[in-house]
Amino acid sequence: MLSPIPIIDLADALQPGSPRSAEVAQAIRAASMASGFFYVRNHGVPPEVVARQFDLARQVMALSLSTKQALNVHASPAMRGFEIEGSQTLDASARPDVKESFQCGMDYPDDHPYVRAGYHSYGHNQWPAEMPELPAQCSAYIQRMLVLTRRLMELMALSLNLPEHYFDHTGHSPMVTLRMIRYPAHPPDADERTFGAGAHTDWGAITVLAQDAHGGLEVQTPEGDWVPATPIDGCFVVNLGDMIPRWTNGLYHSNPHRVRNVHSGGVPRYSIPFFYDLDYLARIEAVPGTVPPGEQPRFPPCTAGEHLHHMYQTTYGTAAKAA
């Protein structure tokens, strides 16, 4: 079954002022006002880079349970390291998620003001000694994703009839997370409350997802139906996080999605999401042109850090320090 999620071609739109920038911005506007999900092709990331990251994901998730426990995300102030299977519940009405992951981010130095302040997501990664190549390869992939997500933010600004660089100031010291996720085969005795990842919206600004060929990601349409985000060769899945509706006064959407690994023939499913979550102190409030005259904004202003602090508390029971 093909997905109804639109495919947006970024050819000739990857640089500021590119000839197709306005056309692509309008396509992003249409997708953002619908489900907040779309595919991107011709995104500038070579296929061999993505394939190499999947090889790395399989290797890192094959490490021993003792290594994973020693580098548990909950032992890291920056929430870096391994997430043990069953430790996150994205849908409060469902059972714990049937997945495990390794997550890392940008290594900010000890003298960075956000590290000194103890802000969540700023600090050092936890790397397994068994894989000395992991830090450099993950860092290179993160840099590729940063180029793409920052360009998507520029195109989003254009889609809102704002200057192309309107959002640039919100990404000086971004909170970014790269996750490599392993979904075991769906349990044969699973009930209707069992998911690889329960229904949820993403918390930040933009998520760029690489998924393997097995599928399993489902997106809820504005009408309430669940549709597959079928893997498409050469494409990433892009979705908007909860910061975007706040920024656009509800004009753009962050829709629920979930994962059930039921199409892989009993083998694990791997996915690699990259979460672009802005500078911790970036202020999020309705942008010009999104609040009708005489009305008040639908959402109170907040910082990116305040928003993520609340979400981590909700799904992990973890108190991330807020500004």
Side-chain angles (χ1 to χ4, degrees):
M1 177 180 179
L2 294 178
S3 173
I5 300 167
I7 301 173
I8 298 178
D9 193 335
L10 298 182
D12 295 323
L14 288 174
Q15 300 295 328
S18 295
R20 292 187 60 247
S21 293
E23 174 190 343
V24 169
Q26 287 307 303
I28 288 176
R29 181 181 179 90
S32 300
M33 292 177 65
S35 68
F37 272 79
F38 52 93
Y39 298 90
V40 291
R41 64 159 49 113
N42 292 318
H43 42 64
V45 182
E48 60 270 20
V49 170
V50 180
R52 191 161 57 243
Q53 199 65 30
F54 272 110
D55 288 341
L56 200 69
R58 286 184 279 269
Q59 293 174 49
V60 74
M61 296 316 303
L63 293 174
S64 68
L65 179 60
S66 60
T67 293
K68 295 173 184 177
Q69 290 172 330
L71 301 177
N72 192 294
V73 292
H74 295 295
S76 163
M79 287 291 285
R80 307 302 188 198
F82 289 94
E83 174 199 78
I84 307 301
E85 185 176 334
S87 62
Q88 188 178 36
T89 304
L90 285 166
D91 181 347
S93 67
R95 301 189 186 281
D97 295 347
V98 184
K99 72 177 191 304
E100 59 176 340
S101 71
F102 177 83
Q103 57 192 50
C104 58
M106 298 172 68
D107 255 322
Y108 285 97
D110 290 338
D111 61 354
H112 190 285
Y114 292 1
V115 177
R116 292 202 309 266
Y119 291 158
H120 182 70
S121 291
Y122 293 88
H124 297 295
N125 292 296
Q126 295 193 104
W127 301 111
E130 298 93 326
M131 296 185 65
E133 72 280 18
L134 192 61
Q137 189 163 324
C138 286
S139 178
Y141 191 83
I142 286 171
Q143 291 306 311
R144 291 272 191 179
M145 291 294 104
L146 275 173
V147 171
L148 177 56
T149 50
R150 283 171 167 158
R151 181 55 187 156
L152 289 171
M153 291 296 293
E154 292 172 349
L155 291 166
M156 186 175 300
L158 290 176
S159 80
L160 292 162
N161 301 312
L162 298 170
E164 199 162 13
H165 296 288
Y166 182 87
F167 294 119
D168 285 7
H169 70 284
T170 67
H172 292 316
S173 296
M175 296 175 281
V176 301
T177 300
L178 172 65
R179 296 183 87 181
M180 293 176 281
I181 306 177
R182 178 185 182 274
Y183 294 93
H186 202 64
D189 58 348
D191 61 16
E192 70 280 358
R193 295 174 55 233
T194 301
F195 298 92
H200 66 286
T201 56
D202 286 348
W203 310 337
I206 291 179
T207 302
V208 177
L209 173 72
Q211 54 179 338
D212 68 15
H214 296 309
L217 174 63
E218 300 173 337
V219 176
Q220 190 174 44
T221 67
E223 296 76 28
D225 300 320
W226 288 96
V227 299
T230 306
I232 299 176
D233 190 40
C235 290
F236 291 125
V237 177
V238 176
N239 67 278
L240 308 184
D242 295 337
M243 294 178 185
I244 303 301
R246 299 185 73 104
W247 245 336
T248 63
N249 200 43
L251 180 67
Y252 288 0
H253 298 295
S254 171
N255 273 27
H257 48 287
R258 65 190 185 189
V259 174
R260 294 183 298 173
N261 183 22
V262 295
H263 306 298
S264 67
V267 300
R269 171 191 187 263
Y270 289 86
S271 71
I272 305 174
F274 175 80
F275 302 95
Y276 180 72
D277 293 344
L278 310 182
D279 187 295
Y280 194 92
L281 295 182
R283 187 172 175 84
I284 303 171
E285 57 188 339
V287 300
T290 59
V291 180
E295 294 186 11
Q296 293 297 312
R298 293 176 55 185
F299 305 95
C302 67
T303 66
E306 287 169 341
H307 173 72
L308 289 184
H309 164 76
H310 170 73
M311 296 310 301
Y312 270 99
Q313 283 184 314
T314 300
T315 68
Y316 283 106
T318 299
K321 185 173 179 180

mmCIF file of all heavy atoms in Angstrom, residues 276-304:
data_model
loop_
_atom_site.group_PDB
_atom_site.id
_atom_site.type_symbol
_atom_site.label_atom_id
_atom_site.label_comp_id
_atom_site.label_asym_id
_atom_site.label_seq_id
_atom_site.Cartn_x
_atom_site.Cartn_y
_atom_site.Cartn_z
ATOM 1 N N TYR A 276 15.846 17.760 15.470
ATOM 2 C CA TYR A 276 16.390 19.120 15.532
ATOM 3 C C TYR A 276 15.494 19.930 16.459
ATOM 4 O O TYR A 276 14.326 20.202 16.148
ATOM 5 C CB TYR A 276 16.422 19.735 14.131
ATOM 6 C CG TYR A 276 16.968 21.142 14.103
ATOM 7 C CD1 TYR A 276 18.325 21.383 14.291
ATOM 8 C CD2 TYR A 276 16.130 22.228 13.892
ATOM 9 C CE1 TYR A 276 18.832 22.675 14.260
ATOM 10 C CE2 TYR A 276 16.624 23.523 13.855
ATOM 11 C CZ TYR A 276 17.977 23.737 14.052
ATOM 12 O OH TYR A 276 18.475 25.015 14.032
ATOM 13 N N ASP A 277 16.049 20.320 17.594
ATOM 14 C CA ASP A 277 15.211 20.859 18.665
ATOM 15 C C ASP A 277 15.615 22.253 19.145
ATOM 16 O O ASP A 277 15.302 22.622 20.277
ATOM 17 C CB ASP A 277 15.202 19.886 19.858
ATOM 18 C CG ASP A 277 14.499 18.575 19.525
ATOM 19 O OD1 ASP A 277 13.787 18.532 18.521
ATOM 20 O OD2 ASP A 277 14.678 17.612 20.265
ATOM 21 N N LEU A 278 16.312 23.010 18.337
ATOM 22 C CA LEU A 278 16.563 24.436 18.595
ATOM 23 C C LEU A 278 17.510 24.691 19.769
ATOM 24 O O LEU A 278 17.876 23.797 20.524
ATOM 25 C CB LEU A 278 15.247 25.195 18.840
ATOM 26 C CG LEU A 278 14.128 25.006 17.832
ATOM 27 C CD1 LEU A 278 12.939 25.880 18.213
ATOM 28 C CD2 LEU A 278 14.597 25.322 16.435
ATOM 29 N N ASP A 279 17.871 25.954 19.888
ATOM 30 C CA ASP A 279 18.640 26.456 21.027
ATOM 31 C C ASP A 279 17.774 26.399 22.285
ATOM 32 O O ASP A 279 16.584 26.704 22.253
ATOM 33 C CB ASP A 279 19.044 27.903 20.726
ATOM 34 C CG ASP A 279 19.990 28.495 21.742
ATOM 35 O OD1 ASP A 279 19.575 28.663 22.915
ATOM 36 O OD2 ASP A 279 21.128 28.816 21.379
ATOM 37 N N TYR A 280 18.353 25.994 23.393
ATOM 38 C CA TYR A 280 17.598 25.809 24.638
ATOM 39 C C TYR A 280 16.801 27.050 25.024
ATOM 40 O O TYR A 280 15.666 26.950 25.505
ATOM 41 C CB TYR A 280 18.565 25.451 25.767
ATOM 42 C CG TYR A 280 17.898 24.917 27.019
ATOM 43 C CD1 TYR A 280 17.719 23.550 27.201
ATOM 44 C CD2 TYR A 280 17.451 25.771 28.015
ATOM 45 C CE1 TYR A 280 17.110 23.047 28.341
ATOM 46 C CE2 TYR A 280 16.836 25.278 29.159
ATOM 47 C CZ TYR A 280 16.673 23.917 29.317
ATOM 48 O OH TYR A 280 16.058 23.429 30.448
ATOM 49 N N LEU A 281 17.371 28.219 24.818
ATOM 50 C CA LEU A 281 16.711 29.464 25.235
ATOM 51 C C LEU A 281 15.932 30.135 24.106
ATOM 52 O O LEU A 281 15.434 31.252 24.284
ATOM 53 C CB LEU A 281 17.742 30.440 25.808
ATOM 54 C CG LEU A 281 18.438 29.983 27.099
ATOM 55 C CD1 LEU A 281 19.412 31.055 27.591
ATOM 56 C CD2 LEU A 281 17.426 29.650 28.183
ATOM 57 N N ALA A 282 15.822 29.462 22.955
ATOM 58 C CA ALA A 282 15.046 30.044 21.849
ATOM 59 C C ALA A 282 13.597 30.240 22.285
ATOM 60 O O ALA A 282 12.962 29.338 22.819
ATOM 61 C CB ALA A 282 15.113 29.131 20.627
ATOM 62 N N ARG A 283 13.081 31.417 22.045
ATOM 63 C CA ARG A 283 11.719 31.747 22.441
ATOM 64 C C ARG A 283 10.750 31.312 21.341
ATOM 65 O O ARG A 283 10.959 31.604 20.157
ATOM 66 C CB ARG A 283 11.595 33.244 22.698
ATOM 67 C CG ARG A 283 10.248 33.667 23.293
ATOM 68 C CD ARG A 283 10.292 35.136 23.703
ATOM 69 N NE ARG A 283 9.002 35.615 24.154
ATOM 70 C CZ ARG A 283 8.532 35.473 25.393
ATOM 71 N NH1 ARG A 283 9.266 34.812 26.290
ATOM 72 N NH2 ARG A 283 7.357 35.954 25.749
ATOM 73 N N ILE A 284 9.693 30.634 21.742
ATOM 74 C CA ILE A 284 8.712 30.130 20.794
ATOM 75 C C ILE A 284 7.396 30.853 21.031
ATOM 76 O O ILE A 284 6.770 30.705 22.087
ATOM 77 C CB ILE A 284 8.519 28.616 20.943
ATOM 78 C CG1 ILE A 284 9.862 27.894 20.764
ATOM 79 C CG2 ILE A 284 7.512 28.098 19.925
ATOM 80 C CD1 ILE A 284 9.802 26.428 21.110
ATOM 81 N N GLU A 285 6.996 31.660 20.064
ATOM 82 C CA GLU A 285 5.730 32.370 20.121
ATOM 83 C C GLU A 285 5.241 32.580 18.695
ATOM 84 O O GLU A 285 6.011 32.484 17.744
ATOM 85 C CB GLU A 285 5.872 33.697 20.859
ATOM 86 C CG GLU A 285 6.907 34.625 20.289
ATOM 87 C CD GLU A 285 7.136 35.838 21.183
ATOM 88 O OE1 GLU A 285 6.245 36.150 21.997
ATOM 89 O OE2 GLU A 285 8.188 36.472 21.049
ATOM 90 N N ALA A 286 3.965 32.835 18.551
ATOM 91 C CA ALA A 286 3.349 32.927 17.216
ATOM 92 C C ALA A 286 4.091 33.923 16.336
ATOM 93 O O ALA A 286 4.332 35.068 16.733
ATOM 94 C CB ALA A 286 1.886 33.320 17.349
ATOM 95 N N VAL A 287 4.463 33.473 15.135
ATOM 96 C CA VAL A 287 5.201 34.332 14.211
ATOM 97 C C VAL A 287 4.248 35.306 13.532
ATOM 98 O O VAL A 287 3.029 35.094 13.500
ATOM 99 C CB VAL A 287 5.954 33.485 13.156
ATOM 100 C CG1 VAL A 287 6.943 32.547 13.819
ATOM 101 C CG2 VAL A 287 4.992 32.721 12.259
ATOM 102 N N PRO A 288 4.772 36.398 12.986
ATOM 103 C CA PRO A 288 3.919 37.383 12.320
ATOM 104 C C PRO A 288 3.052 36.748 11.236
ATOM 105 O O PRO A 288 3.502 35.886 10.474
ATOM 106 C CB PRO A 288 4.936 38.368 11.721
ATOM 107 C CG PRO A 288 6.137 38.256 12.619
ATOM 108 C CD PRO A 288 6.191 36.819 13.027
ATOM 109 N N GLY A 289 1.805 37.193 11.200
ATOM 110 C CA GLY A 289 0.890 36.743 10.166
ATOM 111 C C GLY A 289 0.076 35.515 10.518
ATOM 112 O O GLY A 289 -0.765 35.087 9.719
ATOM 113 N N THR A 290 0.298 34.927 11.721
ATOM 114 C CA THR A 290 -0.437 33.705 12.071
ATOM 115 C C THR A 290 -1.539 33.933 13.099
ATOM 116 O O THR A 290 -2.338 33.024 13.344
ATOM 117 C CB THR A 290 0.531 32.622 12.610
ATOM 118 O OG1 THR A 290 1.209 33.115 13.777
ATOM 119 C CG2 THR A 290 1.544 32.233 11.550
ATOM 120 N N VAL A 291 -1.607 35.108 13.696
ATOM 121 C CA VAL A 291 -2.677 35.414 14.652
ATOM 122 C C VAL A 291 -3.641 36.398 13.993
ATOM 123 O O VAL A 291 -3.263 37.523 13.668
ATOM 124 C CB VAL A 291 -2.116 36.012 15.960
ATOM 125 C CG1 VAL A 291 -3.255 36.316 16.935
ATOM 126 C CG2 VAL A 291 -1.101 35.072 16.597
ATOM 127 N N PRO A 292 -4.884 35.987 13.762
ATOM 128 C CA PRO A 292 -5.845 36.895 13.114
ATOM 129 C C PRO A 292 -6.021 38.184 13.913
ATOM 130 O O PRO A 292 -5.935 38.174 15.151
ATOM 131 C CB PRO A 292 -7.141 36.071 13.089
ATOM 132 C CG PRO A 292 -6.691 34.643 13.148
ATOM 133 C CD PRO A 292 -5.464 34.653 14.017
ATOM 134 N N PRO A 293 -6.276 39.287 13.250
ATOM 135 C CA PRO A 293 -6.482 40.560 13.942
ATOM 136 C C PRO A 293 -7.592 40.452 14.985
ATOM 137 O O PRO A 293 -8.654 39.875 14.742
ATOM 138 C CB PRO A 293 -6.882 41.517 12.813
ATOM 139 C CG PRO A 293 -6.285 40.911 11.583
ATOM 140 C CD PRO A 293 -6.353 39.435 11.779
ATOM 141 N N GLY A 294 -7.319 40.987 16.162
ATOM 142 C CA GLY A 294 -8.302 40.989 17.236
ATOM 143 C C GLY A 294 -8.312 39.731 18.074
ATOM 144 O O GLY A 294 -9.054 39.660 19.067
ATOM 145 N N GLU A 295 -7.523 38.708 17.704
ATOM 146 C CA GLU A 295 -7.479 37.464 18.476
ATOM 147 C C GLU A 295 -6.180 37.371 19.270
ATOM 148 O O GLU A 295 -5.199 38.065 18.985
ATOM 149 C CB GLU A 295 -7.602 36.252 17.548
ATOM 150 C CG GLU A 295 -8.941 36.147 16.847
ATOM 151 C CD GLU A 295 -9.078 34.850 16.060
ATOM 152 O OE1 GLU A 295 -8.221 33.954 16.247
ATOM 153 O OE2 GLU A 295 -10.026 34.737 15.270
ATOM 154 N N GLN A 296 -6.181 36.496 20.277
ATOM 155 C CA GLN A 296 -5.001 36.226 21.068
ATOM 156 C C GLN A 296 -4.344 34.936 20.571
ATOM 157 O O GLN A 296 -5.022 34.042 20.048
ATOM 158 C CB GLN A 296 -5.376 36.065 22.546
ATOM 159 C CG GLN A 296 -5.886 37.341 23.197
ATOM 160 C CD GLN A 296 -4.830 38.421 23.211
ATOM 161 O OE1 GLN A 296 -3.680 38.190 23.585
ATOM 162 N NE2 GLN A 296 -5.229 39.628 22.807
ATOM 163 N N PRO A 297 -3.022 34.795 20.714
ATOM 164 C CA PRO A 297 -2.366 33.538 20.324
ATOM 165 C C PRO A 297 -2.952 32.346 21.068
ATOM 166 O O PRO A 297 -3.358 32.466 22.233
ATOM 167 C CB PRO A 297 -0.902 33.774 20.708
ATOM 168 C CG PRO A 297 -0.740 35.261 20.729
ATOM 169 C CD PRO A 297 -2.063 35.799 21.200
ATOM 170 N N ARG A 298 -3.003 31.205 20.411
ATOM 171 C CA ARG A 298 -3.570 30.003 20.999
ATOM 172 C C ARG A 298 -2.663 29.391 22.064
ATOM 173 O O ARG A 298 -3.130 28.650 22.923
ATOM 174 C CB ARG A 298 -3.825 28.962 19.904
ATOM 175 C CG ARG A 298 -4.917 29.359 18.919
ATOM 176 C CD ARG A 298 -5.045 28.338 17.802
ATOM 177 N NE ARG A 298 -5.272 26.987 18.316
ATOM 178 C CZ ARG A 298 -5.327 25.901 17.548
ATOM 179 N NH1 ARG A 298 -5.151 26.018 16.224
ATOM 180 N NH2 ARG A 298 -5.539 24.711 18.072
ATOM 181 N N PHE A 299 -1.358 29.669 21.994
ATOM 182 C CA PHE A 299 -0.398 29.062 22.913
ATOM 183 C C PHE A 299 0.388 30.152 23.635
ATOM 184 O O PHE A 299 0.792 31.142 23.022
ATOM 185 C CB PHE A 299 0.592 28.169 22.157
ATOM 186 C CG PHE A 299 -0.054 27.107 21.307
ATOM 187 C CD1 PHE A 299 -0.280 27.325 19.950
ATOM 188 C CD2 PHE A 299 -0.434 25.893 21.862
ATOM 189 C CE1 PHE A 299 -0.870 26.345 19.161
ATOM 190 C CE2 PHE A 299 -1.018 24.915 21.082
ATOM 191 C CZ PHE A 299 -1.247 25.135 19.731
ATOM 192 N N PRO A 300 0.635 29.992 24.924
ATOM 193 C CA PRO A 300 1.494 30.954 25.619
ATOM 194 C C PRO A 300 2.937 30.797 25.161
ATOM 195 O O PRO A 300 3.351 29.693 24.779
ATOM 196 C CB PRO A 300 1.342 30.564 27.095
ATOM 197 C CG PRO A 300 1.000 29.112 27.062
ATOM 198 C CD PRO A 300 0.161 28.914 25.829
ATOM 199 N N PRO A 301 3.716 31.850 25.159
ATOM 200 C CA PRO A 301 5.123 31.729 24.759
ATOM 201 C C PRO A 301 5.907 30.890 25.767
ATOM 202 O O PRO A 301 5.548 30.805 26.945
ATOM 203 C CB PRO A 301 5.601 33.179 24.737
ATOM 204 C CG PRO A 301 4.673 33.912 25.638
ATOM 205 C CD PRO A 301 3.349 33.228 25.515
ATOM 206 N N CYS A 302 6.948 30.253 25.286
ATOM 207 C CA CYS A 302 7.837 29.485 26.153
ATOM 208 C C CYS A 302 9.184 29.382 25.461
ATOM 209 O O CYS A 302 9.340 29.796 24.303
ATOM 210 C CB CYS A 302 7.268 28.087 26.435
ATOM 211 S SG CYS A 302 7.205 26.999 24.990
ATOM 212 N N THR A 303 10.155 28.833 26.157
ATOM 213 C CA THR A 303 11.434 28.543 25.518
ATOM 214 C C THR A 303 11.440 27.088 25.068
ATOM 215 O O THR A 303 10.661 26.254 25.557
ATOM 216 C CB THR A 303 12.613 28.782 26.468
ATOM 217 O OG1 THR A 303 12.546 27.831 27.551
ATOM 218 C CG2 THR A 303 12.602 30.208 27.012
ATOM 219 N N ALA A 304 12.348 26.773 24.151
ATOM 220 C CA ALA A 304 12.478 25.393 23.695
ATOM 221 C C ALA A 304 12.834 24.478 24.854
ATOM 222 O O ALA A 304 12.332 23.356 24.959
ATOM 223 C CB ALA A 304 13.546 25.313 22.601
#
